[in-house]
Amino acid sequence: MINTGSIIGALMEGGLNSAGGARLQNALGPRGLGQDGMGDLLGNILGGGEGGDLGNMLSNALDGGKSGGLDDMLGSVLGGGRSEGLGSAALGGLLGGLFGGGGGMGGAAKGGAMAVLGMLAINALKGYLGDKAGDPAQLSNMQLLAGLREPETNRERQQVEDLGLLTVDAMINAAKADGEVDEQEMQKIIGRLQESDADESELDYLRKALPGPMDTNAIVSRVDDPQVAAQVYTASLFAISVDTDAERIYINDLAHRLGLPQDVRDEIHAALGL
């Protein structure tokens, strides 16, 4: 099985879209995961802030939007002080490395890329959580989908693997919104993955997926949960600039097919600085 986390991390950081890096910084900033109240929300989702590893660090780092919290959290995760303003190397390490097991943090931290997408989705959906916020089974599933805990069964492992592949496929599909991915774009994407030490199985997956036709129906048919829908939508926004009519039409159509309410979309857009 390919390491989808390393692919997602590299694509989120700008492998598909030059604006990806800026969106990532916005996502980790005061309009995104660093906003007031995120600590309380995460603490609830993580069961009172006792999720362990990455969960505890995120809950503490985001608590009340404290100045420097995210820098401290990233620095600790990456094993070396502050992250120096969420620089590219720090972001690459968090998103590209941790999902593959880097950083010495253990299980929960391996979901770095998915954790960012998952927390953005949970934040956008907070008005729809309702009683789910107190249901241990629902909370456990939300943690799993957000990459905030390790899968504990074969079924959960398959669920995580399927979500990783879905996220990669959704990002690639979005990149085709304004036309096919040409050879030059393909080489840029492959080059970014090579810089992230992707192995040949991951590169081969992209080489096969990138030239294929766009198939939004295939993406939407694999979404069966509101949190997954929000994560797929968020990941898609990392893949395109949304500055052409074709991309605007695509992202609006995707949101409609995923059944995402406008206020959920607005939360996601605000977090990414759109």
Side-chain angles (χ1 to χ4, degrees):
M1 179 60 64
I2 66 171
N3 182 352
T4 55
S6 65
I7 299 177
I8 295 166
L11 297 184
M12 283 175 65
E13 200 182 2
L16 287 172
N17 169 26
S18 60
R23 289 187 182 160
L24 191 48
Q25 293 204 35
N26 283 321
L28 295 173
R31 296 182 65 187
L33 300 181
Q35 65 183 271
D36 289 346
M38 272 302 296
D40 293 337
L41 177 63
L42 276 176
N44 194 20
I45 297 302
L46 295 169
E50 297 177 357
D53 291 337
L54 183 61
N56 272 331
M57 297 182 72
L58 289 168
S59 183
N60 292 332
L62 298 173
D63 187 20
K66 293 177 181 177
S67 176
L70 281 165
D71 279 354
D72 292 337
M73 181 270 285
L74 280 175
S76 298
V77 169
L78 296 170
R82 294 175 66 82
S83 67
E84 299 181 359
L86 305 179
S88 176
L91 291 171
L94 174 67
L95 300 179
L98 291 181
F99 201 97
M105 275 290 294
K110 295 178 183 178
M114 293 304 294
V116 172
L117 294 174
M119 288 186 297
L120 289 169
I122 289 169
N123 180 54
L125 290 166
K126 60 182 179 289
Y128 295 84
L129 295 179
D131 293 338
K132 290 183 179 181
D135 183 338
Q138 289 289 347
L139 289 174
S140 178
N141 192 56
M142 290 167 69
Q143 292 173 17
L144 179 70
L145 295 178
L148 294 172
R149 71 168 177 86
E150 276 192 286
E152 298 173 355
T153 65
N154 289 335
R155 179 179 176 278
E156 287 188 348
R157 277 187 283 276
Q158 188 63 56
Q159 190 176 0
V160 170
E161 290 173 359
D162 289 347
L163 179 54
L165 285 174
L166 170 60
T167 303
V168 171
D169 292 345
M171 296 179 80
I172 292 173
N173 197 63
K176 300 172 184 177
D178 58 358
E180 65 180 18
V181 179
D182 61 30
E183 185 64 28
Q184 183 177 1
E185 291 173 316
M186 283 183 58
Q187 290 308 313
K188 175 187 173 184
I189 296 165
I190 296 297
R192 177 61 65 95
L193 266 293
Q194 288 172 327
E195 291 173 4
S196 301
D197 296 324
D199 64 31
E200 277 304 309
S201 65
E202 295 157 15
L203 297 176
D204 285 344
Y205 187 87
L206 287 177
R207 290 188 185 106
K208 293 175 182 177
L210 287 167
M214 186 169 68
D215 190 351
T216 308
N217 286 334
I219 299 297
V220 174
S221 68
R222 293 155 65 186
V223 177
D224 59 1
D225 182 278
Q227 183 179 336
V228 172
Q231 290 179 208
V232 164
Y233 182 78
T234 304
S236 299
L237 286 171
F238 277 100
I240 55 177
S241 299
V242 201
D243 58 0
T244 67
D245 287 342
E247 289 178 341
R248 282 188 285 270
I249 291 171
Y250 176 79
I251 207 67
N252 286 330
D253 179 60
L254 179 64
H256 176 72
R257 296 199 204 187
L258 292 172
L260 289 177
Q262 187 62 49
D263 56 346
V264 172
R265 295 180 61 192
D266 290 344
E267 286 280 357
I268 295 170
H269 282 236
L272 300 185
L274 296 174

